[in-house]
Amino acid sequence: MKKYAVGVVGATGMVGQRFVSLLENHPWFQLTVVAASSRSAGKTYQEAVGTRWAMPTPMPEEAKSLVVLDAQADKEKIAGSVDFIFCAVDMKKDEIRALEESYAKLECPVISNNSAHRWTPDVPMVIPEVNPEHIQVIQDQKKRLGTQRGFIAVKSNCSIQSYAPALHPLRPFGLEKVLVCTYQAISGAGKTFETWPEMVDNLIPYIGGEEEKSEKEPLKVWGTVENGQIVPAQTPSITAQCLRVPVSDGHTAAVFVTFKNKPTEEEIKAAWKNFQGRAQELNLPSAPKQFLQYFEEPDRPQAKLDRDLEGGMAVTLGRLRPDTQYDYKFVGLSHNTLRGAAGGGVLLAELLCAEGYILPR
């Protein structure tokens, strides 16, 4: 099989680094281009990143000598030399929207880790196991953009991966109310303990914009495609509180839920165990074999023990039990820079390739 030529825009940041590391030895994708701001342009990737490489594995050899291009000034060169790009830039939202749309209009598909286009009605925001049918709006988006192959698809916020996938197979029981408290790792802010020593022995009860995303984004993921746009679901009602905690990787969620037709604990566990999504049906390279994994032990899941399960692409669950105010409560965990960010982006790209939305040039 001919590999897809891939670019990473925003390659020097933490999520960009994760994309670069995940593309090493990928069976379908070949890293061809790295791009960042004008400050890094013209340097080799190794020079541009320098001592800021934050991944647990060494920088891929294939990436070290790539010359960093300017994400803005070199757009035409980048778009013309790859089959699609992953975008993980650190810019203002209006600037990101303009940048991503300009790449799409240059006939380059954009798989975005950014939040800027998550609420654009004809841009699919996809968790491949949960709402793969949303990618059909791409045809309508391309009509709006006037493109043949260029489009934008986004992945959802990293924190909702720790609870929305677990709630998804329970929707047939009639989800009515959800309360969620997320305990989010420092890598979600692009930090390590070395670069953010203030987080050692600390907890910050505020993450800007995170609670609004946590309450609204699942409703778009569970929405319906109508007249070329995604119309968000009306239920369940979700309220969220989000805290930054001294954990390197892995977002944890404490979830409380009420149903219209209350299932038994056994029915909930069976729904989790038996759930398979489109990513599993297609046997995509990055898809976990068992997407939702439940632990019976009372002290699991734990970030340090369980975040890397199935290459960091599984969602781990535990502590399901009745609640005095809601029907049930449980705990969820997902790796925020793998399932929640770059890994989810790579899986989305695999889905789009497998379903024929991205074709090699």
Side-chain angles (χ1 to χ4, degrees):
M1 155 182 187
K2 177 183 181 290
K3 284 194 173 186
Y4 294 80
V6 178
V8 177
V9 175
T12 57
M14 184 172 281
V15 174
Q17 291 179 26
R18 183 66 83 175
F19 274 121
V20 168
S21 67
L22 288 175
L23 291 170
E24 184 178 24
N25 300 319
H26 191 283
W28 294 6
F29 304 149
Q30 178 64 51
L31 179 65
T32 306
V33 169
V34 289
S37 69
S38 57
R39 294 189 307 274
S40 298
K43 300 176 183 177
T44 66
Y45 185 65
Q46 188 172 26
E47 291 169 342
V49 174
T51 59
R52 294 182 295 111
W53 182 255
M55 297 298 103
T57 54
M59 181 182 290
E61 288 297 324
E62 65 182 13
K64 288 181 179 179
S65 60
L66 289 176
V67 176
V68 179
L69 299 180
D70 187 318
Q72 288 276 14
D74 296 326
K75 282 185 292 192
E76 291 190 11
K77 181 178 180 180
I78 295 166
S81 57
V82 298
D83 294 313
F84 66 91
I85 61 166
F86 293 111
C87 190
V89 294
D90 183 11
M91 299 163 60
K92 294 177 181 177
K93 282 193 179 181
D94 57 341
E95 294 173 346
I96 295 174
R97 275 194 289 269
L99 181 73
E100 292 182 341
E101 198 158 296
S102 66
Y103 273 99
K105 287 181 176 178
L106 287 168
E107 300 293 359
C108 180
V110 178
I111 314 304
S112 177
N113 185 73
N114 306 303
S115 64
H117 272 294
R118 286 184 193 154
W119 289 98
T120 305
D122 60 7
V123 171
M125 181 173 68
V126 179
I127 302 172
E129 289 88 351
V130 174
N131 61 327
E133 70 281 0
H134 283 193
I135 62 177
Q136 64 186 271
V137 301
I138 287 170
Q139 302 299 347
D140 294 275
Q141 184 196 141
K142 288 196 288 191
K143 290 177 185 173
R144 173 176 65 83
L145 295 174
T147 58
Q148 295 296 312
R149 69 188 304 278
F151 64 86
I152 303 161
V154 302
K155 51 152 293 299
S156 63
N157 191 40
C158 54
S159 65
I160 79 166
Q161 311 281 338
S162 59
Y163 59 93
L167 293 173
H168 182 67
L170 308 182
R171 293 183 71 219
F173 298 109
L175 292 176
E176 289 191 323
K177 288 195 302 179
V178 176
L179 182 154
V180 60
C181 297
T182 60
Y183 305 88
Q184 301 185 204
I186 62 173
S187 56
K191 305 284 189 179
T192 64
F193 287 117
E194 288 73 28
T195 61
W196 201 5
E198 298 86 353
M199 274 306 301
V200 176
D201 191 31
N202 196 15
L203 180 152
I204 299 175
Y206 173 72
I207 306 171
E210 203 73 6
E211 286 156 4
E212 295 83 352
K213 295 174 189 174
S214 299
E215 293 171 354
K216 294 178 180 178
E217 285 192 19
L219 298 177
K220 182 173 180 180
V221 169
W222 290 325
T224 54
V225 177
E226 300 176 21
N227 301 316
Q229 297 188 339
I230 296 159
V231 179
Q234 296 300 304
T235 58
S237 63
I238 304 173
T239 184
Q241 184 125 281
C242 302
L243 296 82
R244 187 74 71 193
V245 295
V247 170
S248 59
D249 293 297
H251 288 352
T252 299
V255 187
F256 302 76
V257 61
T258 294
F259 298 92
K260 185 176 182 181
N261 303 302
K262 182 180 176 181
T264 64
E265 288 182 52
E266 291 70 27
E267 286 175 320
I268 292 174
K269 290 178 184 177
W272 286 339
K273 183 178 180 179
N274 297 327
F275 180 70
Q276 293 278 300
R278 184 65 175 152
Q280 285 72 38
E281 291 173 14
L282 292 168
N283 196 28
L284 299 177
S286 300
K289 301 300 181 191
Q290 182 67 43
F291 181 33
L292 305 174
Q293 303 202 15
Y294 185 81
F295 288 96
E296 293 289 352
E297 295 91 334
D299 60 350
R300 304 282 288 278
Q302 293 181 28
K304 203 167 186 178
L305 297 179
D306 303 313
R307 62 192 173 207
D308 292 316
L309 207 61
E310 298 236 26
M313 293 298 286
V315 175
T316 50
L317 308 165
R319 302 207 70 207
L320 175 67
R321 61 213 190 278
D323 183 65
T324 57
Q325 307 297 315
Y326 289 72
D327 288 338
Y328 291 104
K329 52 192 169 188
F330 65 89
V331 173
L333 167 72
S334 65
H335 195 304
N336 55 295
T337 68
L338 286 168
R339 166 56 71 168
V346 171
L347 186 62
L348 173 54
E350 292 168 359
L351 174 71
L352 290 163
C353 291
E355 299 285 25
Y357 285 84
I358 299 177
L359 299 172
R361 287 185 186 273

